[in-house]
C-alpha cells in the first residue's frame, strides 16, 4: 500500500499537469518541478545536512514536500515564500494533508523583502523556484 505522502505527491503531479495543460494565465499555472528533480532535491538536502531551507515560490507546495520530507529526516525545516493568495491557499491545504506541516513555515510575502530581512548565512539551502524579475 502506498504511503499517504506518496499518494499526495502523485495527486499533486496529476493536478499540476492537468491544470497547466489547460491554463494559459501564468499566475494560475502550477509549474511544478518534475519528480526526479524532487528526488534530487531531497538527496541534496540530506547530503548537505541542510537544516535551514528557504524556498522562494511555493505554488501548490509540491516541491516544498520534497524539501520538507528530507528536512524532517535530518532535524530541519523549510520556510517557503509565496506572494499569490491563490497559491498560498493551495499550499496550506497541501501542507495540512501532508503530515509535514510542522516542518514548514509558509510566508506570504515578497521574496525580496524576506531576503532583505534575513541575516547573511541564515539558510543552508535556498531553492529559487519562482519568477525571476
Amino acid at each position: 500500500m502506498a504511503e499517504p505522502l506518496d499518494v499526495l505527491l502523485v495527486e499533486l503531479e496529476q493536478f499540476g499537469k492537468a491544470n497547466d495543460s489547460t491554463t494559459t494565465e501564468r499566475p494560475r499555472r502550477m509549474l511544478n518541478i518534475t519528480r526526479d528533480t524532487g528526488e534530487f532535491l531531497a538527496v541534496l538536502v540530506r547530503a548537505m545536512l541542510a537544516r535551514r531551507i528557504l524556498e522562494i515560490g511555493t505554488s501548490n507546495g509540491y516541491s516544498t514536500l520534497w524539501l520538507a520530507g528530507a528536512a524532517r529526516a535530518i532535524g530541519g525545516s523549510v520556510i517557503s515564500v509565496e506572494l499569490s493568495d491563490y497559491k498560498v491557499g493551495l499550499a496550506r491545504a497541501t501542507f495540512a494533508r501532508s503530515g509535514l506541516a510542522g516542518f514548514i513555515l509558509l510566508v506570504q510575502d515578497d521574496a525580496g523583502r524576506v531576503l532583505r530581512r534575513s541575516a547573511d548565512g541564515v539558510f543552508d539551502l535556498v531553492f529559487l523556484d519562482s519568477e525571476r524579475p
Side-chain angles (χ1 to χ4, degrees):
M1 181 182 292
E3 295 293 319
L5 182 57
D6 293 332
V7 171
L8 179 57
L9 287 168
V10 169
E11 180 183 316
L12 291 171
E13 290 164 4
Q14 292 170 347
F15 169 73
K17 287 177 186 173
N19 180 79
D20 291 359
S21 70
T22 60
T23 303
T24 57
E25 186 183 346
R26 190 163 177 85
R28 295 291 236 188
R29 298 185 76 207
M30 297 302 107
L31 303 169
N32 289 329
I33 61 173
T34 59
R35 176 172 279 268
D36 60 335
T37 301
E39 291 168 349
F40 172 74
L41 286 173
V43 168
L44 188 64
V45 167
R46 287 184 185 104
M48 292 177 56
L49 296 176
R51 289 182 179 88
R52 300 167 302 170
I53 302 164
L54 176 66
E55 176 187 41
I56 298 174
T58 312
S59 190
N60 62 350
Y62 179 77
S63 56
T64 317
L65 297 183
W66 287 104
L67 295 166
R72 173 181 62 182
I74 60 168
S77 63
V78 178
I79 297 172
S80 190
V81 181
E82 177 61 56
L83 189 57
S84 163
D85 290 333
Y86 171 63
K87 290 183 177 179
V88 164
L90 292 174
R92 283 199 176 135
T94 295
F95 302 155
R97 293 179 54 204
S98 71
L100 294 170
F103 302 92
I104 302 166
L105 174 61
L106 179 58
V107 176
Q108 185 172 11
D109 201 346
D110 175 79
R113 197 169 22 246
V114 170
L115 288 169
R116 284 189 295 277
R117 291 190 310 243
S118 300
D120 289 346
V122 72
F123 300 110
D124 300 318
L125 176 72
V126 177
F127 178 48
L128 178 57
D129 191 28
S130 71
E131 297 290 330
R132 293 147 184 92

